[in-house]
Amino acid sequence: MTKDKIVKFEEIALERTFLAIKPDGVQRGLVGEIIRRYEEKGFTLVGLKFLKVSRELAEQHYDVHRERPFFSGLVEFITSGPVVAMVWEGEGVVAAARKIIGATNPLSAEPGTIRGDFGINIGRNLIHGSDAIETAQREISLWFKEEELVSWQPTLTPWLHE
Ligand code: DAT
Ligand code: MG
């Protein structure tokens, strides 16, 4: 690798997304397995916390679903046990993270995806991921303070980017 071929970190079109391992993922001991998939893909962890979600945060997080019949069950479930909240960074991470998660209903999710490999029921689908760049920005600022996010340059970068 010659010097002029080394990728400039600042020139990579980085995005950030918000992911949360829901109480079922934590209870089932899938925290490590789920984080591993994003690490191995080559994305960068920039924020991580383990918390019991308040009703207020849950309702704000799922605000777009407020009128849906499953809203109260959703809030009940996400507040029922600890969750792992994360921010991941990388080129194309918002859409790619959703692909790694798979379809909303685990029975329809492809094998190889998190929901396809580990889930059966739509109300126990293990993980949340932001569905668009704007949604990601809203969710990241809802769940994390600016100072809780860490910008860093993985030394792996030239092995992941041309
Ligand atoms: P996703 O989590 O794939 O972004 P979504 O935003 O449409 O899906 O819905 C949020 C969560 O609400 C989803 O992960 C599980 C639950 N949910 C969605 N549709 C549902 C339904 N028809 N019945 C019960 N729960 C549902
Ligand atoms: Mg969604």
Side-chain angles (χ1 to χ4, degrees):
M1 208 181 293
T2 59
K3 191 168 184 304
D4 61 322
K5 279 222 168 157
I6 291 176
V7 66
K8 290 198 179 67
F9 187 73
E10 314 75 51
E11 289 172 6
I12 302 167
L14 294 176
E15 294 173 6
R16 285 181 175 183
T17 198
F18 172 74
L19 303 179
I21 305 173
K22 298 181 187 182
D24 51 339
V26 174
Q27 289 286 355
R28 291 185 52 203
L30 292 170
V31 171
E33 168 67 31
I34 289 171
I35 290 177
R36 182 187 64 75
R37 292 183 178 213
Y38 293 97
E39 279 189 313
E40 287 188 350
K41 174 72 172 167
F43 292 131
T44 305
L45 185 63
V46 296
L48 176 72
K49 62 170 106 170
F50 186 63
L51 72 159
K52 186 99 187 305
V53 179
S54 68
R55 175 163 293 269
E56 187 190 0
L57 174 58
E59 289 184 355
Q60 283 183 275
H61 174 73
Y62 281 128
D63 192 53
V64 297
H65 299 303
R66 206 171 273 274
E67 306 306 325
R68 312 281 283 276
F70 54 82
F71 177 74
S72 60
L74 205 50
V75 170
E76 247 0 274
F77 179 57
I78 200 87
T79 56
S80 69
V83 310
V84 177
M86 300 176 280
V87 178
W88 286 84
E89 185 175 78
E91 186 179 354
V93 71
V94 177
R98 293 274 297 187
K99 283 193 178 171
I100 291 168
I101 290 171
T104 303
N105 184 341
L107 285 182
S108 312
E110 294 293 327
T113 65
I114 293 166
R115 288 170 174 168
D117 286 350
F118 302 118
I120 296 170
N121 187 280
I122 195 165
R124 298 287 182 272
N125 64 7
L126 300 155
I127 177 167
H128 166 85
S130 308
D131 62 10
I133 290 178
E134 303 71 44
T135 319
Q137 287 164 350
R138 184 184 97 81
E139 292 174 350
I140 290 167
S141 57
L142 185 61
W143 288 74
F144 285 87
K145 297 183 188 128
E146 188 57 46
E147 62 268 25
E148 291 173 329
L149 301 175
V150 182
S151 295
W152 60 290
Q153 293 187 18
T155 54
L156 270 180
T157 301
W159 304 103
L160 288 160
H161 292 268
E162 194 177 14

